[in-house]
Every structure is written in structure tokens, then in C-alpha cells.
Amino acid sequence: ITGPIDTDRYSPGAFREAPDPIVLGWIGSTTTERYLDQIRDPLEALSLRHPGLGLLLIGAQAFEVGAMSVERLDWDLDTEVSALRRIDIGLMPLPDNPWTRGKGGYKLLQYLSMGIPAVASPVGINREIVEHGRSGFLASNDAEWTGYLEALMADPELRRRMRSAGREKMVAQYSLVQSSRRLREILESVGDR
């Protein structure tokens, strides 16, 4: 059973049809912010083509991207949900190694539960959480990161469709309710034996 997400707490805010600027976002810690270096070049290219593009980092301290406007917030349990609601597109870059293949994909669970389409590296459980082309995109190289982010930035209807698909999947497969039900079924089946 994958670590569940409280889909009552992590729920969508109002959909931003034509945000100005679009806000890309990432949540994590200072120990994982180095993974943002994986997408530095695509972010720099996008910042040149789309002046005003914003990047909101929750929990990161030092990451900078050329001309892009970067806002950093300290992670705080009380403000986490309201901060996430400011994000239009979630980011989860990862290198592919034994450590990252074992990560739980929690930031993707947060994004999708809140109706935030995501672009992620196709590493480990990310491949299961993100349905490529339905609730987000899996990007393997700089060209894919740039292309998928630009597609989401340009198309509010695509973001809306992915918002709905991601939220539905989180409620159906990763919510506390579903995970509790699965755990109960497993314990009952073992108890019956």
C-alpha cells in the first residue's frame, strides 16, 4: 500500500483559467532541492521565451534560475495547502538511481490531489502515479521538459482535463479512505487463515 494522501485536506482550489503569470511549483526540502538542477536548462529556456513566468519553491533555499522570478517559502504545515494552491503546474525532477527509485512520490500525490497537473521524471513510482498525457507528463530529457511545460502553459483546457483526471485518480487509488479499506481487507484475509 503506497503511502496515502488525505484528499480532504489536499483538495483543489479555484481553477486559474488564465493566470498571469503561470506559476510553476515545487515542494520539498533543502536536501532534495538539488534535484531541481535536473531541469535548470529547460527552466532557463522557458524564462527567456515567457518573461514573467514564475517559480514557487516551498522548502527550497538556494535554487535560482536565470531571469525567472523565483519565490521561496519555508515549508509550514499550517500554510502548505494554501501555498500549493498558488501553483499551476507541479514539478518533480529526479535523477534515476537506486535511492530515487525508492522514493514514494509524495509531492506528486499532493499535486494531483489538489488538481495541479504535474511534469515528472519517469523514475520509480512516478511512472505509476502520473498517467502520461492524462494527469500529467513524464519527461526524460530537456526537450521533453520544455515541450510538456510549454504545452501546459499554453493550454488551459489541457490543464483543466489533467486537473480532473489527477484528482479522480488520487481519490480512487491513493486516498486515506481507499488505503484504509485495502489495509482492512488484507488484515481480514490474513485473520481468516
Side-chain angles (χ1 to χ4, degrees):
I1 299 173
T2 300
I5 181 109
D6 182 349
T7 52
D8 290 334
R9 173 178 162 74
Y10 296 95
S11 61
F15 180 70
R16 292 172 15 115
E17 184 80 30
D20 186 27
I22 288 275
V23 176
L24 307 179
W26 178 90
I27 186 169
S29 69
T30 55
T31 61
T32 59
E33 78 178 272
R34 68 182 182 272
Y35 300 146
L36 288 165
D37 284 328
Q38 301 281 314
I39 58 170
R40 180 179 299 282
D41 290 344
L43 292 177
E44 287 182 356
L46 288 170
S47 73
L48 294 174
R49 288 203 292 264
H50 303 276
L53 177 63
L55 179 62
L56 176 61
L57 303 176
I58 305 166
Q61 299 298 315
F63 187 75
E64 295 286 342
V65 183
M68 185 178 288
S69 170
V70 178
E71 181 181 358
R72 279 177 284 288
L73 299 175
D74 291 335
W75 180 86
D76 183 288
L77 182 62
D78 294 333
T79 60
E80 175 187 48
V81 170
S82 61
L84 284 165
R85 285 194 177 127
R86 295 177 50 200
I87 296 172
D88 298 301
I89 303 165
L91 307 171
M92 189 174 181
L94 288 175
D96 188 3
N97 61 49
W99 174 257
T100 58
R101 281 181 227 131
K103 293 183 74 60
Y106 195 70
K107 65 175 53 71
L108 288 176
L109 299 180
Q110 290 174 302
Y111 298 151
L112 299 184
S113 289
M114 297 189 68
I116 302 167
V119 181
S121 300
V123 175
I125 199 163
N126 291 7
R127 291 182 173 127
E128 294 175 34
I129 295 172
V130 174
E131 292 179 76
H132 182 75
R134 187 161 190 277
S135 59
F137 292 110
L138 296 169
S140 298
N141 56 50
D142 287 356
E144 289 181 357
W145 274 96
T146 304
Y148 294 142
L149 287 170
E150 209 152 38
L152 283 165
M153 290 166 56
D155 190 343
E157 186 52 37
L158 177 61
R159 291 196 312 274
R160 186 186 301 277
R161 283 194 315 268
M162 288 187 168
R163 169 186 174 94
S164 295
R167 173 70 182 173
E168 287 171 14
K169 182 173 182 174
M170 294 305 102
V171 170
Q173 295 180 22
Y174 293 95
S175 67
L176 282 172
V177 171
Q178 291 301 325
S179 296
S180 299
R181 180 190 54 77
R182 273 187 243 126
L183 179 59
R184 186 182 68 244
E185 289 170 358
I186 290 168
L187 294 174
E188 287 173 351
S189 72
V190 170
D192 290 343
R193 290 185 202 157

